[in-house]
Amino acid sequence: MNTTLLQDKLSECYTLYKKLDRIGGPEADGDLFEVILGLEDEILESFGLPLSNKNKGILWKLTEKNNLTEKNFQQANSHLQAAAEIHLFAPVLSDMEHLKKGKELNRSAFDVLPELGHPTHDYTLFLYDDILQFSSLEDVLAELSALKRLDCYGELASLKNNHPRTFRKTKVYKQYKPYLKFLDGYVLNEPYLYFREDEEDAPHPLSVFLL
């Protein structure tokens, strides 16, 4: 992205940030918020940066300014370039190493997930913040990969609008349940549900003597 286009994009972001703030934030105008998210993503992607909150913070700092000056633009551009260089020359980690390190350092899902190439959707946040507390890295990575492959984030979010006793009868649930290990726990907000179900399905330890 050339300097003039970047300045135009940053200026547009700043104007929309201020507008959204005046009318009451994302809850007041979800469509405007989506436009801002799209602009943020476009700017960061032009620098080859993950769409993490850490990187977006460079853009958010613009909202602290009463008005934008040429110096503000230059500083933002400089910070974005520096972040891009750090990202480019950072040690290459496998997804498993990256996820493990993120959890060990208590890093935010809003930084780790975008760095792994996954959106910060309600389900992916559930996997990182809840499921990873007691499940294996392999299970969580497999579920993240399945979600990305299926690209069903919006459909899964809609399941939460169903009654807890009826969501399993829906077309969406039946379509995706075979591929998503933790779907029931996500909908019911019960991270341990999958493991409780496994225990219930397992044979009783004394059953061998009852045959």
Side-chain angles (χ1 to χ4, degrees):
M1 186 179 293
N2 63 50
T3 303
T4 301
L5 182 56
L6 174 62
Q7 187 164 325
D8 289 342
K9 293 293 183 182
L10 290 174
S11 180
E12 185 178 2
C13 255
Y14 175 83
T15 301
L16 296 181
Y17 282 145
K18 291 297 187 182
K19 179 179 179 180
L20 190 64
D21 186 54
R22 285 196 305 271
I23 63 178
E27 296 80 8
D29 192 333
D31 290 338
L32 177 57
F33 183 56
E34 288 296 325
V35 171
I36 292 173
L37 291 178
L39 278 170
E40 290 177 343
D41 292 355
E42 186 178 349
I43 292 169
L44 293 181
E45 286 173 347
S46 73
F47 283 87
L49 286 168
L51 311 179
S52 64
N53 276 9
K54 180 180 179 180
N55 292 327
K56 289 184 179 184
I58 299 172
L59 306 179
W60 296 339
K61 286 184 179 180
L62 291 174
T63 63
E64 301 170 3
K65 312 299 181 183
N66 292 326
N67 52 64
L68 289 183
T69 65
E70 185 65 27
K71 182 179 179 181
N72 297 148
F73 288 123
Q74 291 175 356
Q75 286 178 335
N77 188 18
S78 177
H79 291 156
L80 287 166
Q81 288 180 351
E85 289 181 12
I86 291 172
H87 176 67
L88 179 62
F89 295 108
V92 178
L93 301 177
S94 69
D95 286 354
M96 189 169 297
E97 291 170 331
H98 200 122
L99 190 61
K100 181 181 180 181
K101 185 176 180 181
K103 209 57 185 175
E104 287 176 347
L105 297 177
N106 200 29
R107 295 184 66 207
S108 167
F110 288 92
D111 288 324
V112 176
L113 291 172
E115 290 170 0
L116 287 169
H118 298 287
T120 49
H121 175 269
D122 198 31
Y123 199 130
T124 60
L125 294 175
F126 169 73
L127 292 173
Y128 184 82
D129 291 331
D130 297 310
I131 296 298
L132 197 54
Q133 299 292 337
F134 55 86
S135 188
S136 69
L137 293 166
E138 291 88 349
D139 278 351
V140 171
L141 284 173
E143 194 87 343
L144 286 169
S145 296
L147 283 168
K148 189 172 185 178
R149 183 178 68 255
L150 295 167
D151 192 21
C152 55
Y153 304 103
E155 293 168 281
L156 296 182
S158 70
L159 278 178
K160 287 200 167 187
N161 297 325
N162 290 275
H163 192 280
R165 292 184 179 179
T166 61
F167 76 89
R168 292 185 178 90
K169 298 178 182 179
T170 64
K171 180 180 178 180
V172 171
Y173 178 84
K174 292 176 181 178
Q175 180 179 359
Y176 295 116
K177 174 58 180 175
Y179 310 101
L180 299 174
K181 189 173 185 176
F182 303 108
L183 182 56
D184 294 74
Y186 161 68
V187 175
L188 297 172
N189 197 28
E190 294 186 35
Y192 290 92
L193 182 61
Y194 174 81
F195 298 94
R196 289 208 306 270
E197 288 175 343
D198 271 2
E199 290 172 0
E200 290 169 0
D201 292 339
H204 191 280
L206 296 180
S207 62
V208 64
F209 299 106
L210 302 176
L211 297 177

